[in-house]
């Protein structure tokens, strides 16, 4: 399973990179705004800064919602750095843009996916990644994990190579459940990744090992 971090915060990206388990970064306009990164030039520079920290794919989102606009923006984003993956929303022109980018060899992440049908369309259009937002489904009393399971089933039926990028991960159990269901990638906050580390028996066991070692010294 690939681990992506879902943030535009450079300190958190550095922390995750230093942990040695980071495979990429996802961002979106809201995450950029949260870090106070606004204006096209600042945002583009920030993408390059992120690429220079992480060894892996960095999703950069188009803002346009029409085909020509998405193509223009997506090509400019892809030209920024070889690690950039163009993030395209699941809308009608987005599907056309996914196909256009696939034909041109530009890698894509289809975002804002909330149904198996949308995921099927993204794969048909040649998306590199599809991003089902599981936390936001949970927020409205719909089982986000079930969507991961349905997409896995559909993709396996036909051998689609589009990678399932479980997004809107909110906590550590989401990561474990997505791993059980066969999501190819998860993207979430650093806190959710760090939660994987924790077990009280590890702490108790280590404390005892060290105490016993120190008895003889
Ligand atoms: O990767 C998608 C993500 O940024 C959305 O997360 O927590 O805002 O639903 P959230």
């Amino acid at each position: 399973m690939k681990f992506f971090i879902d943030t535009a915060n450079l300190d958190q990206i550095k922390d995750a990179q230093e942990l040695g388990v980071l495979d990429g970064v996802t961002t979106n306009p809201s995450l950029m705004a949260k870090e106070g990164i606004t204006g096209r030039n600042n945002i583009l520079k920030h993408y390059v800064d992120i690429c220079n920290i992480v060894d892996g794919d960095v999703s950069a989102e188009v803002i346009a919602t029409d085909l020509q606009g998405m193509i223009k923006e997506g090509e400019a984003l892809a030209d920024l750095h070889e690690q950039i993956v163009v993030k395209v929303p699941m809308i009608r022109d987005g599907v056309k843009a996914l196909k256009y980018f696939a034909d041109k060899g530009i890698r894509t992440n289809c975002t804002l996916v909330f149904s198996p049908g949308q995921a099927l369309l993204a794969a048909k259009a040649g998306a590199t990644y599809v991003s089902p937002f599981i936390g936001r489904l949970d927020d409205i009393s719909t089982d986000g994990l079930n969507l991961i399971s349905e997409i896995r089933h559909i993709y396996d039926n036909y051998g689609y190579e589009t990678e399932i990028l479980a997004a809107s991960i909110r906590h550590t159990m989401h990561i474990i459940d997505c791993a059980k269901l066969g999501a190819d990638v998860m993207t979430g906050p650093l806190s959710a990744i760090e939660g994987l580390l924790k077990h009280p028996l590890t702490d108790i066991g280590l404390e005892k090992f060290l105490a016993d070692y120190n008895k003889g010294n």
Side-chain angles (χ1 to χ4, degrees):
M1 188 188 213
K2 290 188 208 166
F3 278 14
F4 288 1
I5 189 171
D6 194 31
T7 184
N9 182 292
L10 298 184
D11 290 333
Q12 285 195 20
I13 294 169
K14 280 180 201 152
D15 274 1
Q17 175 69 20
E18 279 166 19
L19 193 58
V21 297
L22 190 65
D23 301 297
V25 176
T26 51
T27 62
N28 62 40
S30 306
L31 293 172
M32 283 286 183
K34 193 173 162 195
E35 298 306 318
I37 313 293
T38 53
R40 183 179 149 77
N41 288 343
N42 292 333
I43 289 174
L44 296 184
K45 181 185 173 303
H46 205 71
Y47 284 137
V48 175
D49 290 343
I50 293 172
C51 289
N52 288 333
I53 296 170
V54 68
D55 298 326
D57 291 346
V58 175
S59 288
E61 188 153 344
V62 297
I63 304 302
T65 52
D66 65 294
L67 178 61
Q68 287 316 315
M70 282 190 259
I71 288 174
K72 192 172 164 210
E73 266 187 63
E75 287 181 334
L77 288 169
D79 279 347
L80 272 183
H81 199 285
E82 60 188 6
Q83 287 166 237
I84 293 284
V85 173
V86 178
K87 209 168 176 188
V88 176
M90 172 40 75
I91 54 177
R92 176 178 287 269
D93 273 12
V95 175
K96 296 180 194 173
L98 290 171
K99 175 76 172 78
Y100 173 89
F101 290 132
D103 289 345
K104 289 208 61 172
I106 293 175
R107 294 175 311 134
T108 53
N109 173 359
C110 180
T111 190
L112 291 167
V113 166
F114 293 95
S115 76
Q118 291 179 323
L120 178 57
L121 260 182
K124 289 275 302 167
T128 313
Y129 296 102
V130 66
S131 287
F133 277 31
I134 64 171
R136 291 193 191 184
L137 282 170
D138 289 354
D139 286 345
I140 58 159
S141 307
T142 303
D143 186 355
L145 290 169
N146 188 49
L147 176 59
I148 300 294
S149 171
E150 289 179 307
I151 299 172
R152 181 74 283 156
H153 188 88
I154 291 169
Y155 283 11
D156 288 350
N157 277 350
Y158 298 98
Y160 285 123
E161 288 179 4
T162 300
E163 291 188 55
I164 302 172
L165 195 174
S168 186
I169 292 257
R170 300 281 174 74
H171 50 73
T172 304
M173 274 312 292
H174 267 157
I175 302 178
I176 295 166
D177 286 332
C178 285
K180 285 186 192 167
L181 294 171
D184 300 289
V185 192
M186 78 83 203
T187 190
L190 182 58
S191 58
I193 297 173
E194 287 173 337
L196 295 168
L197 264 172
K198 296 176 190 158
H199 199 289
L201 291 178
T202 304
D203 300 335
I204 292 167
L206 182 60
E207 199 176 324
K208 176 146 176 41
F209 284 158
L210 295 179
D212 287 343
Y213 173 84
N214 285 324
K215 280 180 194 163
N217 292 293

